[in-house]
Amino acid sequence: MSDILEPSPPVLPTEPPPVKKKSRWGRYVLYALATLGVLAILLVVAAFYKANKGPVLVKIDETASIDESMTRNYGKYSPEKKGWVYVDENNQPFLVRVIQQARIEAVGASDELYFAVSGTGLGASQSSFYGVFQIRSDGKGGDGLVEISDPHRYDSPVPVTPERVRFEALSENTWAWVIKTQDATNPKQDRVSVNNVMLAPHGDTIAVLANFKASAESDPGDCAQANAEHESWQKQMKQYENLPENASDEDVMSAEALSDNEPRRCERVRWSYTTAPVVSAQPGPLTVSVKGSQYGVPVEGKTWKVMFDSKAFVYNVPAELIPD
């Protein structure tokens, strides 16, 4: 019988094999890639947050905004006079007050503030003016505001009062003031005419959308006699219609004096208007109608449809409605 041989144990090396050193640059690359990955994730999260957050919607403090604008445009507020005391370039003092204000709030949009002011001459002055203002977001994504305004319009002895201002929507994004201006006070002494001036913000300016008649009144007394005097005046005017170039100074002065003194006739006319319903982003037409009496007889009833020119941003007012 053969002997069973035990397996011999393996011969182990007396020294361990050399260990390969890892490259230090490899670790740096891995660290850099990891850092870039984290930054990319943060940028994506920030962009997503910003996109979902949307622009800052500005809420306007009416009192603070109006006070700041009025002080900047017209000077200091006078508690005693209850208005802002403004001195113009001719050193003429005026008392300026706010006669209309409205804050427009819309869902998902910043506030817009609209207000109108009236300046009345102090002391011996018989002049007055008005101004219109819009305050809105500056559109830069923050809470900054910008003012669009026309602070000085109109020179008349008759101040604009609150009841002479209408503020109404013309379209989905156009609000306008309709301000009645008056040139005299006593129809027994002068022809008193009132006109409608329609204004609205347009870009960075205040645009005049329309200027059309509102009323005319004159009461010289007996209408038949007034008509006869006017007819006589017309006959005299025809004598000066075609003055020769070598006309005497006396004839020229007489013609000018006659032209400046046209006799008044009886007149009591009213033009009323309505705006179209708001149905789109463009203003609709105005409907204007007339009634009353002129030169002693009733005026012929008539209605005009005044269309809006979106390119020029004005209403095409017909000649019959343009103020004299």
Side-chain angles (χ1 to χ4, degrees):
M1 171 184 256
S2 61
D3 297 330
I4 299 175
L5 301 178
E6 295 289 336
S8 301
V11 179
L12 299 174
T14 57
E15 294 183 3
V19 178
K20 293 183 178 180
K21 294 183 179 180
K22 293 184 178 180
S23 171
R24 184 176 298 176
W25 290 106
R27 284 184 298 177
Y28 291 161
V29 171
L30 290 176
Y31 292 155
L33 291 174
T35 302
L36 290 174
V38 172
L39 289 175
I41 292 172
L42 291 175
L43 287 173
V44 170
V45 171
F48 179 80
Y49 175 76
K50 184 177 181 180
N52 284 272
K53 183 181 179 183
V56 176
L57 298 183
V58 179
K59 297 300 177 183
I60 296 177
D61 183 326
E62 288 185 62
T63 301
S65 295
I66 290 176
D67 183 70
E68 190 278 332
S69 179
M70 293 292 287
T71 301
R72 175 162 36 82
N73 285 281
Y74 302 116
K76 292 183 178 181
Y77 179 81
S78 170
E80 179 184 356
K81 297 182 181 298
K82 297 182 180 180
W84 285 260
V85 177
Y86 167 70
V87 179
D88 67 7
E89 61 277 6
N90 298 318
N91 290 323
Q92 172 62 50
F94 293 84
L95 180 63
V96 189
R97 289 173 173 157
V98 178
I99 56 174
Q100 171 274 333
Q101 69 184 71
R103 187 177 67 178
I104 306 302
E105 301 176 89
V107 178
S110 295
D111 289 350
E112 294 181 358
L113 177 61
Y114 297 78
F115 63 98
V117 305
S118 179
T120 304
L122 298 174
S125 172
Q126 295 296 313
S127 61
S128 62
F129 69 87
Y130 69 88
V132 290
F133 298 78
Q134 181 202 39
I135 297 177
R136 67 189 187 207
S137 167
D138 61 11
K140 297 180 179 180
D143 58 358
L145 298 174
V146 63
E147 176 188 293
I148 309 300
S149 63
D150 190 349
H152 309 99
R153 293 190 61 85
Y154 180 65
D155 185 9
S156 167
V158 185
V160 175
T161 52
E163 61 271 15
R164 292 176 176 267
V165 181
R166 288 179 62 178
F167 182 68
E168 49 198 340
L170 300 182
S171 73
E172 293 173 348
N173 50 22
T174 302
W175 288 81
W177 297 273
V178 181
I179 296 180
K180 293 186 182 298
T181 61
Q182 183 173 328
D183 61 0
T185 58
N186 189 348
K188 291 186 177 296
Q189 296 178 353
D190 303 287
R191 182 178 185 268
V192 178
S193 61
V194 179
N195 299 320
N196 293 306
V197 183
M198 181 179 285
L199 308 109
H202 181 53
D204 295 330
T205 63
I206 299 294
V208 179
L209 277 62
N211 187 0
F212 57 99
K213 296 177 181 179
S215 67
E217 186 171 355
S218 179
D219 183 11
D222 184 87
C223 293
Q225 181 181 348
N227 287 340
E229 291 176 355
H230 192 272
E231 184 178 354
S232 175
W233 173 84
Q234 286 181 315
K235 291 179 180 178
Q236 294 178 62
M237 281 297 299
K238 287 183 179 180
Q239 299 176 10
Y240 295 104
E241 283 182 355
N242 298 305
L243 283 176
E245 294 183 2
N246 60 349
S248 66
D249 293 341
E250 183 180 354
D251 284 344
V252 173
M253 292 178 64
S254 297
E256 291 176 350
L258 189 65
S259 177
D260 293 338
N261 289 278
E262 179 179 358
R264 293 185 298 119
R265 288 179 286 177
C266 296
E267 199 171 5
R268 187 176 177 83
V269 189
R270 298 288 183 272
W271 291 266
S272 60
Y273 79 94
T274 57
T275 58
V278 174
V279 295
S280 68
Q282 294 297 330
L286 302 176
T287 301
V288 183
S289 57
V290 62
K291 65 179 181 179
S293 61
Q294 195 170 40
Y295 315 145
V297 296
V299 298
E300 180 183 357
K302 189 175 181 180
T303 298
W304 296 264
K305 192 173 184 180
V306 184
M307 305 304 295
F308 185 75
D309 183 339
S310 57
K311 290 184 179 179
F313 205 73
V314 295
Y315 280 97
N316 294 320
V317 179
E320 304 100 306
L321 298 178
I322 295 176
D324 301 326

